[in-house]
Amino acid sequence: MAEKLLEIENLSVEYNTEIATVYAVNGLSLSLNYGETLGLVGETGAGKTTTCLSIMRLLPEGIGEITDGKIILDGHDMLNLPEEKIRDLRGNTVSMIFQDPMSSLNPVMTVGDQIKEVLKIHNKNMSKAELEKAVDNMMEMVGIPANRKNEYPHEFSGGMKQRIVIAIALVCEPKLILADEPTTALDVTIQAQMLGLINDLQKRLNTAMILVTHDLGVVAQTCEKVAVMYSGEVVEIGSAEHIFDGKYLHPYTQGLFNAIPKLDSDTHRLETIEGMIPDPTVKIEGCRFADRCKHATDRCKKAPCMVEVEPGHLIKCNLFQKNA
């Protein structure tokens, strides 16, 4: 078996609307090994969710378009497979935990039937008794009594709904989970429970995960690798140790860390990253972060390349270009 579960090369995604063309993802490249956890961080509009939807081939039809690049998932070329084969892979090889559990469930189907639906699609030879047993086991695994499988989504709290969404995503034991801010709608206590649950299930099933989040604390707690996105591209990628304890950081990553409150210092005002994320409808030739960067110079008019500043730690910034 190849070591790489997922390889994305030079991915570019556009949303074509009547008003303008939005360049949502621009030349993104990253990879993920079997059983590995990658944290995908960055501010709103960075292209994190679009990247996940591209992997699943779930971009809005007629609007979202992958214009360049390659996505190889478990040996499958996702951009050249027929739709029938893509459906076989969704839920079975790759699953997505969507951002809002309140709108991710069908209000007129019992939660048990919604978990069972995924099993029936991908396991056509399972008997009715086997399906029911698998649903019971999955509900118990995510901490919900199996005798509640005949209840409807409105009968559950937000945290319980998120557990059901996780159960649906994991019931076929996929090789990759795309978790799109799975704790955003939950309070802090339930957040910790959900992260612990996802980590436990991931280890038990040896599932790889891409965790999309704004919360660097969550990334530090759960992820082995970290990719920092800005304006549709990965500007830094490395191990969690590289990002949180390393001596080299992209100026944007450093800005994110500076904006976090520190318990061991008395700070009257947190640092902010001045300015706004670039207009996604405008193509930018040079460094996308230059207008907000304290270190920007004339050389930033030229687009930087990824530089390996230490083994396994890559940064896209002219500060680290030897010949820039």
Side-chain angles (χ1 to χ4, degrees):
M1 181 185 290
E3 186 182 359
K4 300 291 184 189
L5 168 62
L6 174 69
E7 290 185 85
I8 302 176
E9 293 181 14
N10 199 36
L11 178 69
S12 294
V13 182
E14 297 176 3
Y15 291 111
N16 300 297
T17 69
E18 294 179 359
I19 301 171
T21 296
V22 176
Y23 303 100
V25 176
N26 306 284
L28 179 143
S29 297
L30 58 83
S31 63
L32 188 68
N33 296 332
Y34 287 87
E36 195 171 48
T37 304
L38 170 73
L40 199 57
V41 301
E43 57 194 300
T44 299
K48 303 182 299 296
T49 298
T50 296
T51 300
C52 292
L53 292 175
S54 299
I55 296 169
M56 294 280 290
R57 291 281 304 275
L58 286 175
L59 291 170
E61 191 173 351
I63 298 175
E65 180 186 2
I66 296 172
T67 58
D68 195 12
K70 183 165 64 173
I71 301 174
I72 306 297
L73 174 64
D74 195 33
H76 301 283
D77 184 350
M78 297 295 286
L79 303 189
N80 291 305
L81 285 179
E83 180 62 26
E84 184 180 348
K85 181 61 178 177
I86 293 289
R87 286 199 204 100
D88 289 339
L89 294 175
R90 289 190 198 120
N92 199 24
T93 299
V94 56
S95 286
M96 191 161 177
I97 301 171
F98 292 95
Q99 194 168 17
D100 183 11
M102 309 299 177
S103 60
S104 297
L105 297 170
N106 188 331
V108 298
M109 286 178 68
T110 65
V111 297
D113 282 345
Q114 293 186 58
I115 298 171
K116 192 193 306 177
E117 183 178 38
V118 184
L119 278 168
K120 288 169 72 175
I121 290 171
H122 296 292
N123 299 274
K124 293 181 170 52
N125 295 325
M126 289 182 74
S127 67
K128 186 175 180 180
E130 288 173 329
L131 287 169
E132 293 296 337
K133 184 176 180 181
V135 170
D136 292 349
N137 290 341
M138 197 67 231
M139 290 192 68
E140 294 287 349
M141 193 180 289
V142 297
I144 300 176
N147 59 14
R148 297 196 64 183
K149 67 182 178 183
N150 293 321
E151 297 180 19
Y152 291 85
H154 71 271
E155 300 179 80
F156 294 85
S157 66
M160 297 287 264
K161 287 178 184 174
Q162 189 63 287
R163 288 174 183 266
I164 294 161
V165 170
I166 292 169
I168 292 170
L170 290 174
V171 70
C172 288
E173 300 187 11
K175 296 176 181 178
L176 174 62
I177 305 168
L178 306 174
D180 187 8
E181 300 189 40
T183 61
T184 298
L186 309 175
D187 63 55
V188 176
T189 305
I190 304 300
Q191 279 187 29
Q193 290 180 8
M194 288 300 103
L195 290 171
L197 172 64
I198 292 171
N199 277 341
D200 180 54
L201 294 172
Q202 187 189 1
K203 290 173 184 174
R204 196 182 306 181
L205 303 174
N206 192 32
T207 301
M209 177 170 68
I210 294 179
L211 176 64
V212 174
T213 182
H214 296 276
D215 194 332
L216 288 168
V218 168
V219 172
Q221 182 182 344
T222 59
C223 299
E224 300 158 272
K225 286 175 65 177
V226 183
V228 181
M229 285 193 71
Y230 181 78
S231 186
E233 61 183 15
V234 171
V235 296
E236 182 165 7
I237 188 166
S239 67
E241 288 77 15
H242 288 145
I243 305 301
F244 289 92
D245 298 321
K247 58 181 179 179
Y248 305 108
L249 287 176
H250 189 282
Y252 175 62
T253 310
Q254 187 63 64
L256 294 178
F257 279 115
N258 291 342
I260 299 174
K262 297 174 179 62
L263 296 177
D264 57 355
S265 62
D266 186 13
T267 305
H268 294 287
R269 184 179 291 273
L270 295 175
E271 290 188 38
T272 59
I273 303 174
E274 295 183 3
M276 297 288 290
I277 196 166
D279 184 348
T281 65
V282 177
K283 280 193 172 182
I284 298 172
E285 296 297 327
C287 174
R288 293 173 171 274
F289 188 63
D291 289 345
R292 306 175 72 185
C293 182
K294 299 175 182 177
H295 307 285
T297 63
D298 286 342
R299 64 184 178 178
C300 297
K301 294 177 182 178
K302 178 182 176 182
C305 298
M306 273 288 188
V307 176
E308 190 170 32
V309 294
E310 51 190 324
H313 184 192
L314 291 88
I315 298 177
K316 184 181 281 191
C317 178
N318 284 319
L319 282 174
F320 303 94
Q321 305 276 346
K322 291 182 180 178
N323 299 317

